[in-house]
Amino acid sequence: MSTTQRIPAALPPTPSAQSPATPQRGSRRAAFGIMIVLVGQLMLTLDGTIVNVALPSIGTGLGLGLGPSALSWIVNAYTLAFGGLMLMGGRLGDTYGRLRVFLIGLSIFTASSLIGGFAQSAALLIAARAAQGIGAALAAPGVLALVTTSARDDAARNRALALFAAVGIGGSTLGLLLGGVVTEVGSWRWTLFINVPIGIAVLALAPRFVAETPRNPGRFDLIGALSATGAAVAIVWALTGAPEHGWTSAQTIGSLTAGAVLLAALAVTERRVTNPMLVPALLRDRRRLSALAVTTLVFGSQIATFFLVVQYVQRVLHFGPIAAGAAFLPMTLGIFAMARTAPKLVARFGQKPLLITGTLGLTASYVWLSNIDTTSGYASAVLGPLLLNGVSAGLTFMPAASLVMGGVAPQHAGSASGLLQTVQQLGGAIGLAVVVSVYAAGAVPGQFVPGARAAFLTTAAFTLLAAALAALILRSHRPAHAKTN
């Protein structure tokens, strides 16, 4: 009796008091680290749209009378570099350390933003935008990989994925708002300068709170990297130019053919090398492939919707830049609200029912938007569809990302992240190219509405197809994912 009483008394109280606190501190540190890299991702996402609203001001502000072709390259230079180099950026992170590559990419992005903000010529601004795209392509794949590998358990991982998904599309809508604000209140140059203090803060904090991932030994797959980069650039080049040059033009057909040939070369190369840039096992899971296809279609519909709604509120409702950006707030609020709810719904119902519900909700929102006309008002014809769209998008992106990243071995998380974000970029390019072509076919010069109905119904067709693919995923009774080795 006395012995059993003395044993507890002899034990030092410090370890027992600290043991619960140490994991708690580690959990808080990991959560803060995830938030830091997500701020970096938000900055990269904002840049995809923040400049769009400022394009008219850029055309006059440089004093060069830039035409539509030159202005389009201010957007396309970023899109080409970002989408084309994403796969390589993901593999570089897997090979040399994700935090290291993330910091290098963010440094390039931040410095290029500063140079672009001071640009006095179209050539320098376009070059700076291309450099921003290069930096973003190096940094972005590491964000999702760090998020998924830093989470302590499935619940934390799902929460982080939901935030990443919300940042991905919600950041694009916030970019439209911020672009309008800084352009109207200050100068178009601040659409670039705004990245500098954010980038410096993330660069300073990330090494303190985010752990570096191990390097993977082995020779880097240079041939695979060149093939993948060339294929992505060729396809994005074809899609961004298709509305202007035509789908049957030599440029479009030639670029798509070159992209297909390079993809075939990539497929052959990746089966033969010891350390492939894109692990073939990532593409052998039918569920992962379906989730990638759903992501492509949904991002295509969303990016096209940004274009259409901005045109409508500015040309028909006569909104200024700030009001045009603010028009997307219902969508943004819906997306970020679902970022808190989606992980709980996934835990209870699984990913697949949410995908079907979300894609059908998106389809309904596009059909609703197709009814706009010259007598419609924002409150009666735009607000409701955009709110439904935001909630539905929030239901869709997180489970899709979870299906893509689930079961991926840690050493290949960067490649999987690069693959997911590459199809997002390609999806946006495909959706915009197709919808702009449909819109142009039915448009009447000087009027927006005549071509808009067919364009919105085209986006609805995208997400209806995505819903059908999600239903096919539901029929699969295979394990969630095969582990990639």
Side-chain angles (χ1 to χ4, degrees):
M1 180 79 176
S2 61
T3 303
T4 58
Q5 290 174 338
R6 283 195 301 269
I7 291 174
L11 291 174
T14 306
S16 61
Q18 287 182 343
S19 56
T22 302
Q24 189 175 15
R25 284 197 299 270
S27 178
R28 287 198 298 265
R29 184 181 181 85
F32 190 62
I34 287 173
M35 293 305 298
I36 290 169
V37 296
L38 284 175
V39 168
Q41 177 70 17
L42 178 62
M43 183 175 66
L44 304 179
T45 305
L46 286 172
D47 213 68
T49 55
I50 192 172
V51 173
N52 293 31
V53 180
L55 287 178
S57 299
I58 293 173
T60 57
L62 287 177
L64 302 174
L66 295 180
S69 179
L71 285 175
S72 69
W73 273 106
I74 295 172
V75 175
N76 292 343
Y78 182 80
T79 302
L80 275 172
F82 193 10
L85 295 171
M86 194 91 68
L87 282 172
M88 186 170 69
R91 193 56 184 162
L92 285 170
D94 286 342
T95 304
Y96 300 111
R98 295 182 194 116
L99 179 60
R100 180 178 294 104
V101 175
F102 169 77
L103 294 174
I104 291 172
L106 199 63
S107 299
I108 295 172
F109 181 89
T110 304
S112 302
S113 299
L114 185 64
I115 294 170
F118 283 116
Q120 298 298 317
S121 68
L124 181 57
L125 179 57
I126 291 170
R129 291 285 289 162
Q132 279 186 305
I134 294 171
L138 293 176
V143 173
L144 183 54
L146 287 168
V147 162
T148 54
T149 55
S150 298
R152 298 177 62 86
D153 51 38
D154 287 343
R157 179 175 173 274
N158 284 340
R159 288 194 297 271
L161 280 172
L163 285 172
F164 176 84
V167 164
I169 195 67
S172 298
T173 62
L174 282 176
L176 295 172
L177 174 59
L178 284 176
V181 170
V182 299
T183 301
E184 196 162 304
V185 174
S187 163
W188 66 264
R189 297 183 183 278
W190 281 100
T191 62
L192 296 163
F193 286 147
I194 196 172
N195 296 322
V196 178
I198 301 173
I200 291 173
V202 174
L203 288 169
L205 292 173
R208 297 178 57 189
F209 293 94
V210 181
E212 180 59 282
T213 57
R215 295 188 183 190
N216 290 319
R219 187 176 180 182
F220 184 75
D221 180 16
L222 181 60
I223 296 178
L226 293 175
S227 300
T229 300
V233 168
I235 293 170
V236 173
W237 172 278
L239 293 171
T240 54
E244 179 182 354
H245 302 288
W247 288 94
T248 59
S249 67
Q251 174 179 315
T252 303
I253 294 175
S255 297
L256 289 175
T257 302
V261 170
L262 288 168
L263 282 177
L266 176 66
V268 172
T269 300
E270 301 308 88
R271 292 193 183 99
R272 296 180 177 179
V273 297
T274 305
N275 298 289
M277 193 196 68
L278 183 60
V279 184
L282 290 174
L283 301 178
R284 292 187 187 132
D285 189 326
R286 186 176 69 185
R287 290 154 54 90
R288 181 177 289 116
L289 287 175
S290 298
L292 288 168
V294 168
T295 300
T296 303
L297 291 165
V298 170
F299 258 80
S301 69
Q302 289 292 89
I303 298 302
T305 299
F306 293 159
F307 168 80
L308 293 170
V309 173
V310 165
Q311 295 289 314
Y312 178 72
V313 299
Q314 289 187 327
R315 294 176 56 182
V316 179
L317 301 183
H318 305 294
F319 283 15
I322 294 179
F328 287 90
L329 277 177
M331 178 190 288
T332 306
L333 293 173
I335 290 170
F336 281 102
M338 291 310 300
R340 295 181 60 86
T341 307
K344 300 174 184 177
L345 294 175
V346 166
R348 182 171 181 180
F349 299 107
Q351 300 127 325
K352 298 166 286 187
L354 266 67
L355 283 177
I356 293 178
T357 304
T359 48
L360 289 177
L362 287 169
T363 303
S365 74
Y366 300 137
V367 173
W368 192 350
L369 282 168
S370 72
N371 293 313
I372 59 174
D373 57 35
T374 54
T375 63
S376 301
Y378 175 79
S380 62
V382 180
L383 188 152
L386 289 187
L387 182 59
L388 174 60
N389 186 286
V391 172
S392 301
L395 283 174
T396 304
F397 292 129
M398 180 263 167
S402 178
L403 281 168
V404 172
M405 298 300 295
V408 176
Q411 65 268 29
H412 300 308
S415 293
S417 172
L419 180 62
L420 174 62
Q421 295 184 74
T422 296
V423 302
Q424 290 175 353
Q425 292 294 313
L426 289 177
I430 293 169
L432 190 58
V434 171
V435 169
V436 167
S437 297
V438 170
Y439 168 73
V444 174
Q447 301 181 39
F448 171 78
V449 171
R453 180 172 176 81
F456 278 120
L457 290 177
T458 300
T459 62
F462 273 44
T463 49
L464 191 60
L465 177 57
L469 288 173
L472 290 176
I473 296 173
L474 265 177
R475 295 178 57 188
S476 173
H477 296 292
R478 296 172 57 195
H481 290 284
K483 188 83 168 179
T484 58
N485 296 317

